[in-house]
Amino acid sequence: MVTQKMNIMVCGGTGCKSSNSELIVTELRRELQENGLADEVQVVQTGCFGFCEKGPVVKILPDNTFYVTVTPEDAHEIIAEHIIKGRKVHRLLFKDPVTEEYINDSKGMNFYKKQLRIALRNCGFINPENIDEAIARDGYAALAKCLTEYTPAEVVDIIKKSGLRGRGGGGFPTGLKWEITAKVKADQKYVICNADEGDPGAFMDRSILEGDPHSVIEAMAINGYCTGSNKGLVYIRAEYPLAIERLKIAINQAHESGLLGKDILGTGFDFDIELRYGAGAFVCGEETALIHSMEGKRGEPTFKPPFPSEEGYLGKPSNVNNVETYANISPIILKGSDWFSSIGTEKSKGTKVFALAGNVNNVGLVEVPMGTTLREVIFEIGGGIRNGKKFKAVQTGGPSGGCLTVKHLDLPIDYDNLIASGSMMGSGGMIVVDEDTCMVSLAKFYLDFTVEESCGKCSPCRIGNKRMSEILETITKGKGTPEDLDRLRNLGEVIKDTSLCGLGQTSPNPVLSTMANFMNEYEAHVIDHKCPAGKCRDLMTYRIEAENCVGCTACARVCPVSAISGERKEVHTIDTSICIKCGACMEKCKFNAVFVS
Amino acid sequence: MTKVKTLADLKKLREDLQEKIRLRESGEHPESLVQVKVAMATCGIASGAKDVMTFFMEELEKRGIDAVVTQTGCMGYCYAEPTVEITLPGQSPLVFGFVNSRKADEIIEKYIKKGELVDGIIPVTYQSINDNQKEG
């Protein structure tokens, strides 16, 4: 019998909804009503549990029973057995694929542990505008530990041993960078935070600065202690007003508390931070361009070496790290390098934050240990593809990255695996596309972004990318030839080899990787002059199927260019020479009579 | 603001603050405060989190409920913004997604007042390195 109040949680995520979870709710409520339990037990619809593979999912509280692949017909048994008699419905329990044991309590399930938040540890927990909450959650404890217990060289050693690599994209070992900066002798050094997050779709740096600015300030001070610098600079894009405001508040509060400024914690260590604003140029995320921009010069990259660690801002040694990299520092100091290096893969340690976007159900920020597979991120955490469509590809690393496909889904994500499969980690943008996406257009979208953002210094990038974009334009217009594909590939390889900075060297990646993985789509465009996904407007024709058309005139009335003619109650026709392919007729037609090919 | 001059100061301050927050979170007195956290990153604000926060502040006071309403950063559930985390005294926090003023009203009337769950709960799908601290 019911002794305490129970709750039945039914997943209302898109994945479970599409497999009838709403009907399960109705059935459960009906069963409860019939048994006079409607007031005692509540049925609640929840957001996605992230276990869509085994959906619909039903969870019973307070005993944490987790039922998987539940059907509306199971409602009766759940109520009759579990709720009334207190016996779990064994056959609906989740069976662990490895141990083959049925799991009674969802706390014993592994999939809950897919995400581990290190960099995002305080995001969404503390009030970012109140330093007290940060301090209560160990804020500045790592700085204090460094200043009082370790020598600068010991701290560098901890970071080196942790295996932390730069989270901005390149994956350069952070400890090594710190060591190089520390070893250079100079009267002034700078600690720079790269908050010029420019990848379309990536927003983890903004979220960290908006949610936990103190983690970055603290880590910059630790870096200052290691490298012998008392001056920190945050290069942040002016398009992030809230992040700037919260960072300013945090810096002020740290000052007032004496955790920035002169003689921090009575140790004689001075450190201060200032902000520098960027105007949102993508290339300024490249460290040498970033430094030039801070100096008031044009944001153009220059040749390395000398590296900024040797000769950076105003010619002085400067340690440039990305926001997410800094956010990892304090936990490493407090929990030790062994703890950190126990997470992740052999050469990529710790976690990575991804901004999951595109045609995926649970768009959001996810932080997973390195080595998690794309499948786990997209299908389990991301809840699968929207509207029940099929997965086609995922673009990682933004415009500098590449497209990965179905065959890469079980690839453990780390720096080296992504590069080996023709993409890259980048800053962690992850854009998922479904079967309705034209890969040629997608490649063109990214390429157009780099054409816009190229600083213009090197001709391969400035002129070459422009030419590639023009060739892609011709192809999507249906005027491409098979020779265009060779030209694209050659051009792409030359640009890769001959550009100075990362932007140019990686800009052809979206084109080259889509060519490698979706050659059939390129061929369809240039040989058959067809777009398999039906997205390239110039390759489409709209027509009305005589069988389905009832002559309601709805399409003719909505056509903006009067391309549709026909009498009432008679079959209509589209004049393709006038049609601008806007698709309005197709949307309006209630009889599925308008087709596109 | 108190000046932190030494390591001992920082440790003491941290303990005091932890105690303060622990009191607020676990509630020594069961009748004590309800805690409402609104995810207020740019994305949350863009989808209406500010209005939701104002609603909670005004309505909780009007309806005579003792509560602390604070802002916080991005919770990561961008698909379900605005998101709000409610902690009833002595209970573990619950996150609600797609909160507008109507949903907020339902949350206040049903969950905060009576402890009844309402639709739209977002299950926790991650672990954080701060979890131990929360329990401890």
Side-chain angles (χ1 to χ4, degrees), chain A residues 394-594:
Chain A
V394 54
Q395 172 88 9
T396 68
S400 310
C403 266
L404 300 173
T405 65
V406 178
K407 67 173 190 259
H408 300 112
L409 275 179
D410 292 308
L411 184 82
I413 307 168
D414 70 7
Y415 289 99
D416 310 289
N417 278 341
L418 286 179
I419 286 177
S421 40
S423 184
M424 63 186 276
M425 184 75 83
S427 58
M430 200 177 259
I431 298 177
V432 180
V433 297
D434 66 16
E435 53 189 325
D436 290 343
T437 309
C438 167
M439 299 313 282
V440 183
S441 307
L442 183 78
K444 187 170 174 298
F445 167 80
Y446 283 111
L447 193 70
D448 286 347
F449 179 84
T450 32
V451 168
E452 285 273 306
E453 295 292 342
S454 169
C455 75
K457 182 171 177 163
C458 319
S459 23
C461 172
R462 181 184 70 239
I463 305 170
N465 280 325
K466 180 82 186 151
R467 293 293 93 84
M468 281 181 79
S469 165
E470 285 166 4
I471 297 174
L472 285 175
E473 177 80 23
T474 327
I475 294 178
T476 53
K477 285 227 157 29
K479 294 177 184 140
T481 60
E483 291 73 48
D484 280 338
L485 300 185
D486 297 331
R487 253 188 301 237
L488 265 185
R489 193 179 289 117
N490 286 341
L491 208 44
E493 270 153 19
V494 171
I495 295 169
K496 260 181 110 118
D497 289 344
T498 53
S499 294
L500 172 67
C501 80
L503 192 153
Q505 285 161 10
T506 55
S507 57
N509 281 357
V511 179
L512 295 176
S513 72
T514 46
M515 284 182 87
N517 292 314
F518 297 96
M519 197 56 193
N520 53 339
E521 282 197 31
Y522 278 86
E523 283 167 350
H525 280 77
V526 296
I527 298 170
D528 309 326
H529 301 289
K530 285 210 169 96
C531 173
K535 287 282 144 158
C536 293
R537 197 174 272 191
D538 292 287
L539 300 179
M540 299 188 308
T541 41
Y542 281 87
R543 66 186 167 80
I544 294 173
E545 183 69 47
E547 255 177 49
N548 295 359
C549 181
V550 297
C552 70
T553 73
C555 58
R557 276 179 280 136
V558 81
C559 180
V561 290
S562 306
I564 305 178
S565 55
E567 293 298 315
R568 257 188 98 76
K569 305 217 165 156
E570 276 172 31
V571 175
H572 283 49
T573 48
I574 301 175
D575 183 344
T576 47
S577 62
I578 307 175
C579 174
I580 54 163
K581 299 160 188 178
C582 66
C585 50
M586 198 166 163
E587 248 170 57
K588 198 77 193 170
C589 182
K590 289 188 184 131
F591 306 96
N592 290 327
V594 184

Side-chain angles (χ1 to χ4, degrees), chain A residues 5 7 9 29 42-50 61 111-118 121-129 131-133 135-141 144-145 148-149 203 206-207 210-211 242 246 253 255-259 263-266 331 335 339 361-365, chain B residues 1-11 13-15 17-21 24-25 35 37 39-45 50 69-80 85 93-94 96 98 110 114-134:
Chain A
K5 212 166 166 122
N7 282 297
M9 323 263 277
R29 286 197 179 134
Q42 255 188 294
V43 183
V44 177
Q45 268 200 59
T46 70
C48 182
F49 276 89
L61 288 180
F111 85 91
Y112 269 126
K113 295 165 190 158
K114 288 262 151 75
Q115 286 202 68
L116 173 65
R117 293 195 173 176
I118 299 176
R121 62 193 177 279
N122 287 332
C123 282
F125 279 99
I126 62 164
N127 179 351
E129 296 181 11
I131 192 172
D132 288 354
E133 298 203 3
I135 292 175
R137 297 227 184 235
D138 285 336
Y140 297 95
K145 194 173 180 186
T148 55
E149 291 176 29
F203 53 92
R206 175 174 61 72
S207 293
E210 286 176 357
L242 187 63
R246 296 223 168 119
Q253 290 183 347
H255 257 286
E256 282 170 29
S257 315
L259 293 162
D263 194 18
I264 296 170
L265 299 171
K335 290 176 174 266
W339 163 76
N361 279 320
N362 303 338
V363 168
L365 275 188
Chain B
M1 198 167 287
T2 35
K3 210 69 169 166
V4 191
K5 291 196 196 72
T6 62
L7 178 62
D9 281 358
L10 180 70
K11 280 190 176 149
L13 181 63
R14 182 177 54 170
E15 273 161 27
L17 291 170
Q18 269 172 359
E19 182 65 12
K20 229 166 94 187
I21 287 176
R24 196 173 76 196
E25 282 182 353
Q35 205 192 343
K37 275 188 207 167
M40 292 265 275
T42 300
C43 32
I45 294 171
K50 255 187 189 154
V69 182
T70 50
Q71 60 170 349
T72 185
C74 173
M75 294 181 188
Y77 307 113
C78 310
Y79 66 96
E85 184 187 280
L94 266 189
F96 295 87
F98 302 106
K110 290 207 174 144
K114 300 182 201 150
E116 284 176 19
L117 300 185
V118 297
D119 286 353
I121 294 168
I122 298 186
V124 176
T125 50
Y126 63 87
Q127 49 177 348
S128 161
I129 51 165
N130 277 342
D131 284 352
N132 318 340
Q133 205 179 330
K134 255 164 83 186

Side-chain angles (χ1 to χ4, degrees), chain A residues 259-475:
Chain A
L259 293 162
L260 274 182
K262 295 257 174 249
D263 194 18
I264 296 170
L265 299 171
T267 57
F269 173 65
D270 305 336
F271 196 75
D272 218 333
I273 295 180
E274 278 178 29
L275 303 189
R276 291 283 185 277
Y277 307 119
F282 182 57
V283 75
C284 287
E286 199 280 340
E287 51 186 9
T288 60
L290 178 147
I291 287 168
H292 295 312
S293 170
M294 289 206 309
E295 291 167 338
K297 297 179 186 146
R298 281 184 73 138
E300 287 179 346
T302 42
F303 192 74
K304 293 192 277 192
F307 291 94
S309 304
E310 299 156 327
E311 235 176 84
Y313 182 60
L314 303 177
K316 305 291 183 190
S318 308
N319 184 88
V320 187
N321 280 136
N322 153 275
V323 172
E324 194 189 330
T325 316
Y326 281 126
N328 275 294
I329 299 295
S330 306
I332 295 176
I333 303 288
L334 292 176
K335 290 176 174 266
S337 50
D338 289 344
W339 163 76
F340 192 79
S341 61
S342 70
I343 304 161
T345 63
E346 196 194 337
K347 286 182 179 165
S348 304
K349 301 298 186 189
T351 56
K352 177 77 191 90
V353 183
F354 291 101
L356 198 56
N359 307 122
V360 66
N361 279 320
N362 303 338
V363 168
L365 275 188
V366 303
E367 182 170 351
V368 290
M370 297 275 189
T372 305
T373 64
L374 282 169
R375 187 187 298 281
E376 287 169 314
V377 172
I378 297 167
F379 288 91
E380 294 180 22
I381 298 167
I385 309 301
R386 231 180 255 178
N387 302 325
K389 299 270 183 187
K390 261 197 217 127
F391 167 83
K392 186 168 193 177
V394 54
Q395 172 88 9
T396 68
S400 310
C403 266
L404 300 173
T405 65
V406 178
K407 67 173 190 259
H408 300 112
L409 275 179
D410 292 308
L411 184 82
I413 307 168
D414 70 7
Y415 289 99
D416 310 289
N417 278 341
L418 286 179
I419 286 177
S421 40
S423 184
M424 63 186 276
M425 184 75 83
S427 58
M430 200 177 259
I431 298 177
V432 180
V433 297
D434 66 16
E435 53 189 325
D436 290 343
T437 309
C438 167
M439 299 313 282
V440 183
S441 307
L442 183 78
K444 187 170 174 298
F445 167 80
Y446 283 111
L447 193 70
D448 286 347
F449 179 84
T450 32
V451 168
E452 285 273 306
E453 295 292 342
S454 169
C455 75
K457 182 171 177 163
C458 319
S459 23
C461 172
R462 181 184 70 239
I463 305 170
N465 280 325
K466 180 82 186 151
R467 293 293 93 84
M468 281 181 79
S469 165
E470 285 166 4
I471 297 174
L472 285 175
E473 177 80 23
T474 327
I475 294 178

Side-chain angles (χ1 to χ4, degrees), chain A residues 64-259:
Chain A
N64 280 322
T65 308
F66 203 83
Y67 290 132
V68 292
T69 33
V70 180
T71 62
E73 291 77 50
D74 295 328
H76 173 75
E77 199 175 340
I78 292 176
I79 303 297
E81 285 294 306
H82 192 143
I83 304 295
I84 298 177
K85 295 187 191 138
R87 292 195 296 235
K88 296 193 178 186
V89 184
H90 209 67
R91 66 180 175 87
L92 293 174
L93 288 173
F94 176 66
K95 193 169 157 190
D96 189 298
V98 183
T99 60
E100 301 226 322
E101 275 171 25
Y102 286 99
I103 296 188
N104 273 313
D105 187 326
S106 65
K107 282 182 181 155
M109 291 168 76
N110 267 329
F111 85 91
Y112 269 126
K113 295 165 190 158
K114 288 262 151 75
Q115 286 202 68
L116 173 65
R117 293 195 173 176
I118 299 176
L120 297 178
R121 62 193 177 279
N122 287 332
C123 282
F125 279 99
I126 62 164
N127 179 351
E129 296 181 11
N130 184 350
I131 192 172
D132 288 354
E133 298 203 3
I135 292 175
R137 297 227 184 235
D138 285 336
Y140 297 95
L143 175 64
K145 194 173 180 186
C146 290
L147 293 179
T148 55
E149 291 176 29
Y150 297 128
T151 64
E154 281 168 345
V155 180
V156 170
D157 210 43
I158 294 172
I159 303 297
K160 265 173 87 173
K161 277 198 188 130
S162 74
L164 176 66
R165 293 169 68 174
R167 297 292 192 249
F172 190 83
T174 306
L176 190 59
K177 203 180 225 180
W178 288 27
E179 189 176 53
I180 298 169
T181 321
K183 276 187 180 155
V184 183
K185 293 214 175 352
D187 54 344
Q188 176 72 56
K189 293 181 188 176
Y190 294 99
V191 179
I192 298 174
C193 172
N194 183 348
D196 187 70
E197 190 174 39
D199 281 14
F203 53 92
M204 61 286 293
D205 293 351
R206 175 174 61 72
S207 293
I208 292 171
L209 290 171
E210 286 176 357
D212 189 17
H214 290 285
S215 68
V216 177
I217 295 173
E218 181 186 9
M220 288 176 73
I222 293 174
N223 180 269
Y225 175 67
C226 294
T227 56
S229 160
N230 55 24
K231 187 89 195 158
L233 297 161
V234 181
Y235 184 82
I236 183 164
R237 38 180 42 216
E239 292 102 315
Y240 281 181
L242 187 63
I244 292 173
E245 191 191 317
R246 296 223 168 119
L247 200 52
K248 277 186 183 165
I249 293 172
I251 292 171
N252 282 339
Q253 290 183 347
H255 257 286
E256 282 170 29
S257 315
L259 293 162

